[in-house]
Amino acid sequence: MGKRLFDNRTIFFHLLLVAFALLAACNTTKHLDDKQYLVRKNKLTLKSEKKITNKGELKDNLGHYMIQKRNSTLFGIPFKLVFYNRHYYRLHELPDTSLPKSVERPEIFDSSKMVKSAENMKNYLNFQGYFYARVKDTVTFAKKKAYPAYDITTGINYRINNVSYDVDDSAIARIVQSSIDETALEKNKDFTWGLIDDERSRITQLVRNNGYYNFTQENVNFIHGLDTVDKTIFKNVESPFENAINFISPVKGSQEHEIDILGKIRREDDTEAYQKFTIASVTVYPDFVSNKDVADNSMLSETVDSVLFKYHNEYIHPRVLFEHIYLAPGQIYSQADCDKTVLKLNDLNIFQYIKPEFRERVGEKGVLDCYIFLSKVKKLDFTVNPVVSSGSTYSLGSSVGVNVRNRNFAKGANLLTVGVNGGIELGPNKAGEFFNDLTLLTKYYGVNASIDFPKFIAPIPSDLFGNGNLPHTILSVGENVIDRVNYFRLENSSANLSYSWKESPTKTWNFSPVFVNVINVKETDSFRKVLAGNEYLTNSYKATFIEGESLSFTFDNHDVKHGRNYSFLKLSIEEAGGLLSALNQTGNAFIDTYITKSFAEYTKFDFDARHYFTLPHSVFAFHFYGGIGLPYGTSTALPYIKQYFAGGPFSLRGWRIRTLGPGSSLSTSDTGKNANVTIDRTGDIKLEWNGEYRFPITPLFAGAVKMNGAIFADAGNIWLARKDPVYPGGEFSFNTLGQDIAADVGAGARFDIASFLTLRIDVAMPVKKPYVFTDGGWVFNQIDPWNSSWRSNNIIFNISIGYPF
């Protein structure tokens, strides 16, 4: 009966959506004139003589050149247009700038815009190396709606054959020839105009790095040797690529559509283009205010190895800045050294802007004076990070963290961060009395501090690293407490020394040669009864000394990809107990004298992979996380603070934090609305997958707040590395992996507040429960949103700051 009721209501709900969609469809064209048509959908088909490896990306990029697009929709319904038509007589005479952000005028078909869109697509294909591309545009009309269509044939895509250079200066010719292997114009590579731009930039940078300060891209051109290409396709004045130069030369007799490219480097009319420059002086203004500072003789000054520092007040020690400056008197001018200086000074995070300026010395040829102007940023800032959540185990949970940062501690560009955090978890004491009788289940609080030195502090030479990627040295300490009322109190004292450095703009390393955790646990009599006979929990919650080391590698090409179709990958390994075990085996008295607790021995491996597919107005975000911790030696379980858990606002959002797993195990105390579970469900292994579709909804408060939406799904679980009779089905096994995976679905809203803070609200429900052994754990047939008991046990509500990944 219950299932039939749910089915009927579901049918009714879908019928209601269909009815609303039909009503909206009728409403979208009600105010159009007889000769006006609403743009309903653009269709784009793409054909080529040969297989296109990046066809999806190429098609997506072509879509950007459609000038006229349909009105925005949500779930296929143009809500903004519907709202506009509903208030048409009040809104239609308002200028576009006065319209509310929640409405849109109808997008009326314009044939001239369709023609221009086709031209733009053709020109874009030409820019990508598809010569003689054809774009056929057609439109069909039905029921006051227009359906534009673009039938695109890419044409011929040429490959690069020979590349040669003609340089009118022997010194510059040698510079160009010395790096010919680094050319962007590689043989057999598909030609694009972007490659020409890259090569022009590369040569310009190369020559400027060798002292030619006045050399620019205007001195580098590419020309063709034969006039066999139809140049009219490049001469459209409406083309966004109209300034591109015709330089290609098809190879005669070639069946592979190859072209030869000739680069010409000329002085042209610039007599100074081939003048080599030397830096005569470097002057740095750490607290620059205005141009008057340059001529102000009353400013304080200090010289560090021939670099002059002038300042109003000593904002930062000059020696610290000097170590991040790669320009010096007597050096040949190099654009790379200038760029590196800006990058390293920017890494200090204590300047609002950084502006190097070179001035040619009057009366002296080939001599530059360098000025570096630095505007200081606000020294102190603080952030607040609140999290509120609810679930079937804990009825209400909240936490808050406050971090205070000093960006220039001790005037050394040292980043000092002090954070205080705390939270509570509440639950009903009696059935049916949720708000009348809440009881405190858990409280947790702590203080953490770290200091990031922008230099390498170690008893080994820094020559192991290049000047451009010298590691930062980071020291951190913390004291954190988890207090499970009436059960246990766990205190974690921690300290860590680590080094962080960038191998490249996309690759970062972090190495911790030593970290220490001292864990103390105070148990109640009732908690000892829970631990009795449970070896895994006993070893998880015992007092432990942890000493180890870790190494992590991070790849992030967000900036390189300019936020489009970018990836993130983090790999890390952590080991503990190896050094102490070795000392213990040698009979070293240090262990017995200073370490009174048992020490942990384990190895952990973790990976965190993410990829973001960016569409014109939305993003598909995917996250895959995994980790395994293997205890060894005298340890039979990972320490509690090193174990994995699932659930919560940053994990599987259909479960309350630390209430899922391990595996398919389920304690009878986990069920029921009023269960007060006090033991976290943790494990040694974790796998988790998350996927989100993120899209904009509407701006609020005149655009100060942007409301975005998300539809998401999560899957994963935690497991034990070894079989434990207390947790039947809790150990990892490939044979039961399908059953053990938990899954949830949900939707959320994100409020981007002034591009400074993102408030996230998510609502999720489980759709696959590993401890349900019918239908493979899938529980779609149990979903009953009209049933209050089902809602209280399955709907999970989270409020947090920031995106989950």
Side-chain angles (χ1 to χ4, degrees):
M1 178 66 181
K3 183 178 179 181
R4 184 171 65 252
L5 179 63
F6 167 70
D7 291 340
N8 291 338
R9 287 174 174 173
T10 303
I11 293 171
F12 173 77
F13 178 72
H14 283 88
L15 288 176
L16 187 63
L17 280 179
V18 172
F20 186 83
L22 292 174
L23 180 63
C26 297
N27 189 44
T28 54
T29 60
K30 62 184 299 184
H31 295 295
L32 298 185
D33 295 340
D34 292 340
K35 295 183 179 181
Q36 290 181 327
Y37 295 87
L38 181 74
V39 176
R40 183 65 184 92
K41 184 179 181 181
N42 285 290
K43 182 181 179 182
L44 191 152
T45 57
L46 185 62
K47 295 179 292 185
S48 179
E49 294 181 3
K50 62 178 183 178
K51 183 179 179 181
I52 304 175
T53 55
N54 61 336
K55 185 173 182 179
E57 182 180 354
L58 184 63
K59 193 172 181 180
D60 183 45
N61 291 339
L62 285 166
H64 292 303
Y65 291 95
M66 292 181 186
I67 298 176
Q68 192 169 39
K69 296 180 173 65
R70 69 175 185 176
N71 288 92
S72 61
T73 63
L74 179 63
F75 304 117
I77 301 174
F79 286 102
K80 291 187 177 182
L81 176 56
V82 173
F83 295 150
Y84 172 83
N85 284 335
R86 184 177 180 183
H87 303 282
Y88 174 79
Y89 295 104
R90 180 172 61 87
L91 298 174
H92 79 285
E93 293 184 354
L94 292 178
D96 290 344
T97 55
S98 300
L99 283 177
K101 300 292 185 180
S102 58
V103 301
E104 283 181 352
R105 298 190 195 277
E107 188 65 47
I108 299 172
F109 175 74
D110 184 339
S111 59
S112 65
K113 291 182 179 180
M114 188 176 187
V115 173
K116 183 62 184 297
S117 296
E119 292 177 354
N120 287 346
M121 293 179 192
K122 183 177 178 181
N123 291 326
Y124 171 74
L125 287 170
N126 289 331
F127 184 81
Q128 294 299 316
Y130 293 96
F131 304 143
Y132 307 105
R134 299 188 302 275
V135 181
K136 181 180 179 182
D137 55 286
T138 58
V139 60
T140 56
F141 302 97
K143 297 180 180 180
K144 299 294 292 178
K145 294 183 178 66
Y147 297 84
Y150 302 90
D151 189 6
I152 302 173
T153 303
T154 61
I156 299 171
N157 183 214
Y158 281 84
R159 289 192 306 164
I160 297 171
N161 184 40
N162 293 321
V163 180
S164 57
Y165 289 92
D166 179 9
V167 188
D168 64 348
D169 181 87
S170 58
I172 293 180
R174 286 192 294 270
I175 293 172
V176 173
Q177 190 60 37
S178 68
S179 65
I180 198 67
D181 292 340
E182 301 174 10
T183 178
L185 303 174
E186 298 177 16
K187 186 178 178 65
N188 295 324
K189 200 171 188 177
D190 287 344
F191 165 79
T192 70
W193 295 82
L195 290 177
I196 294 302
D197 291 340
D198 292 343
E199 181 66 0
R200 181 180 285 111
S201 297
R202 187 190 72 84
I203 291 176
T204 302
Q205 179 84 359
L206 176 67
V207 175
R208 287 175 63 84
N209 287 345
N210 283 270
Y212 296 90
Y213 172 69
N214 287 319
F215 191 89
T216 70
Q217 293 192 23
E218 298 298 321
N219 300 108
V220 184
N221 292 287
F222 294 88
I223 63 174
H224 62 84
L226 298 176
D227 296 325
T228 56
V229 176
D230 179 7
K231 299 178 192 59
T232 60
I233 64 174
F234 304 115
K235 295 298 184 180
N236 191 324
V237 295
E238 300 293 336
S239 169
F241 316 108
E242 60 182 329
N243 294 322
I245 301 170
N246 301 303
F247 59 85
I248 57 170
S249 174
V251 178
K252 290 185 177 181
S254 172
Q255 300 300 315
E256 296 295 330
H257 306 299
E258 295 178 337
I259 58 173
D260 293 336
I261 299 174
L262 173 64
K264 299 191 72 173
I265 299 177
R266 293 289 183 269
R267 184 195 307 266
E268 302 297 344
D269 298 329
D270 187 356
T271 58
E272 297 294 321
Y274 288 174
Q275 175 66 58
K276 204 166 185 176
F277 282 83
T278 301
I279 298 174
S281 67
V282 177
T283 307
V284 184
Y285 295 84
D287 56 351
F288 180 73
V289 176
S290 69
N291 289 328
K292 295 179 181 179
D293 290 352
V294 178
D296 188 351
N297 294 324
S298 66
M299 294 179 68
L300 302 174
S301 63
E302 182 177 342
T303 301
V304 180
D305 290 357
S306 73
V307 175
L308 176 63
F309 293 85
K310 297 182 67 177
Y311 46 85
H312 299 278
N313 297 289
E314 192 179 48
Y315 171 62
I316 179 174
H317 297 312
R319 172 63 64 175
V320 175
L321 290 181
F322 175 79
E323 292 174 351
H324 291 76
I325 294 174
Y326 297 86
L327 301 166
Q331 284 184 354
I332 298 295
Y333 168 80
S334 168
Q335 182 65 48
D337 289 341
C338 181
D339 294 341
K340 189 189 299 183
T341 296
V342 173
L343 178 64
K344 298 305 291 184
L345 290 175
N346 188 61
D347 284 345
L348 295 177
N349 291 316
I350 61 171
F351 298 111
Q352 187 173 358
Y353 73 81
I354 300 165
K355 182 183 178 183
E357 186 176 311
F358 294 89
R359 300 176 185 177
E360 297 184 35
R361 185 170 289 185
V362 178
E364 297 184 47
K365 275 196 172 186
V367 177
L368 292 172
D369 290 314
C370 174
Y371 301 87
I372 303 177
F373 302 109
L374 307 171
S375 174
K376 59 185 182 181
V377 76
K378 186 178 178 182
K379 184 177 180 180
L380 297 175
D381 68 4
F382 74 96
T383 57
V384 179
N385 184 22
V387 177
V388 179
S389 59
S390 68
S392 58
T393 303
Y394 303 109
S395 295
L396 183 65
S398 65
S399 66
V400 63
V402 179
N403 291 321
V404 179
R405 300 195 307 169
N406 182 335
R407 290 188 175 93
N408 191 25
F409 178 70
K411 297 183 180 181
N414 306 308
L415 176 61
L416 174 65
T417 304
V418 179
V420 179
N421 63 83
I424 58 173
E425 290 171 339
L426 305 172
N429 191 36
K430 297 180 181 178
E433 299 183 8
F434 178 76
F435 286 107
N436 295 330
D437 196 1
L438 287 174
T439 184
L440 179 64
L441 300 180
T442 309
K443 54 184 177 180
Y444 42 94
Y445 48 89
V447 58
N448 298 275
S450 68
I451 183 167
D452 184 339
F453 299 94
K455 55 187 175 180
F456 184 57
I457 304 174
I460 58 174
S462 60
D463 297 342
L464 297 174
F465 304 91
N467 288 334
N469 57 3
L470 200 65
H472 282 216
T473 304
I474 305 167
L475 291 173
S476 59
V477 294
E479 181 72 24
N480 293 274
V481 176
I482 299 175
D483 190 349
R484 288 293 170 82
V485 178
N486 300 324
Y487 283 87
F488 69 89
R489 173 189 171 95
L490 187 149
E491 300 175 356
N492 173 27
S493 304
S494 61
N496 183 46
L497 166 66
S498 64
Y499 300 98
S500 178
W501 70 95
K502 293 185 75 70
E503 177 187 340
S504 71
T506 60
K507 300 175 182 178
T508 304
W509 293 85
N510 187 282
F511 172 58
S512 175
V514 59
F515 67 84
V516 173
N517 295 91
V518 180
I519 300 174
N520 291 302
V521 181
K522 298 179 181 179
E523 306 165 353
T524 63
D525 291 338
S526 57
F527 187 62
R528 292 190 186 96
K529 293 179 181 179
V530 173
L531 297 181
N534 191 326
E535 182 183 359
Y536 180 79
L537 286 182
T538 299
N539 287 300
S540 297
Y541 288 92
K542 69 180 180 181
T544 308
F545 183 87
I546 306 173
E547 183 281 326
E549 57 285 329
S550 65
L551 175 68
S552 68
F553 166 78
T554 302
F555 173 85
D556 186 351
N557 64 355
H558 176 273
D559 293 337
V560 174
K561 291 276 193 173
H562 306 291
R564 296 197 61 204
N565 297 324
Y566 60 97
S567 302
F568 173 92
L569 174 65
K570 183 175 182 179
L571 305 173
S572 59
I573 180 172
E574 178 179 313
E575 189 277 336
L579 176 61
L580 295 180
S581 178
L583 291 174
N584 194 35
Q585 291 177 6
T586 61
N588 195 303
F590 175 85
I591 302 296
D592 295 331
T593 304
Y594 296 101
I595 302 178
T596 58
K597 301 176 178 62
S598 62
F599 58 87
E601 296 176 275
Y602 65 85
T603 302
K604 283 186 68 178
F605 304 90
D606 294 273
F607 68 87
D608 185 347
R610 311 172 194 176
H611 189 75
Y612 303 83
F613 295 96
T614 54
L615 303 177
H617 301 291
S618 58
V619 176
F620 281 100
F622 297 100
H623 175 223
F624 185 35
Y625 175 86
I628 178 171
L630 300 175
Y632 68 89
T634 59
S635 297
T636 58
L638 294 176
Y640 170 78
I641 64 170
K642 298 296 182 178
Q643 292 175 341
Y644 300 99
F645 63 86
F650 296 92
S651 182
L652 275 79
R653 285 160 280 185
W655 276 265
R656 182 67 174 86
I657 189 170
R658 300 184 298 270
T659 62
L660 177 63
S664 60
S665 65
L666 176 67
S667 171
T668 54
S669 63
D670 287 341
T671 60
K673 174 181 177 181
N674 301 307
N676 290 346
V677 176
T678 57
I679 305 303
D680 294 338
R681 305 187 72 76
T682 58
D684 309 311
I685 301 170
K686 182 176 181 179
L687 289 174
E688 182 175 303
W689 177 90
N690 315 92
E692 283 196 354
Y693 174 62
R694 301 169 180 171
F695 52 88
I697 297 179
T698 185
L700 304 172
F701 306 108
V705 177
K706 296 179 181 179
M707 182 181 179
N708 301 313
I711 301 172
F712 59 82
D714 308 309
N717 206 337
I718 57 171
W719 293 267
L720 302 179
R722 302 174 181 177
K723 192 171 184 178
D724 192 319
V726 178
Y727 298 100
E731 72 280 3
F732 181 86
S733 172
F734 285 105
N735 294 332
T736 59
L737 183 60
Q739 173 66 39
D740 290 348
I741 293 294
D744 65 65
V745 296
R750 290 90 166 92
F751 298 89
D752 186 358
I753 304 172
S755 300
F756 172 73
L757 182 71
T758 300
L759 175 66
R760 175 164 57 96
I761 302 174
D762 286 333
V763 179
M765 65 177 183
V767 294
K768 184 179 184 299
K769 300 179 179 180
Y771 41 81
V772 173
F773 295 95
T774 58
D775 299 325
W778 296 100
V779 293
F780 286 108
N781 60 341
Q782 299 178 13
I783 297 175
D784 191 356
W786 287 270
N787 185 297
S788 60
S789 176
W790 180 90
R791 290 197 304 270
S792 64
N793 285 300
N794 291 275
I795 297 297
I796 308 298
F797 176 77
N798 293 289
I799 302 176
S800 56
I801 301 297
Y803 284 87
F805 58 91

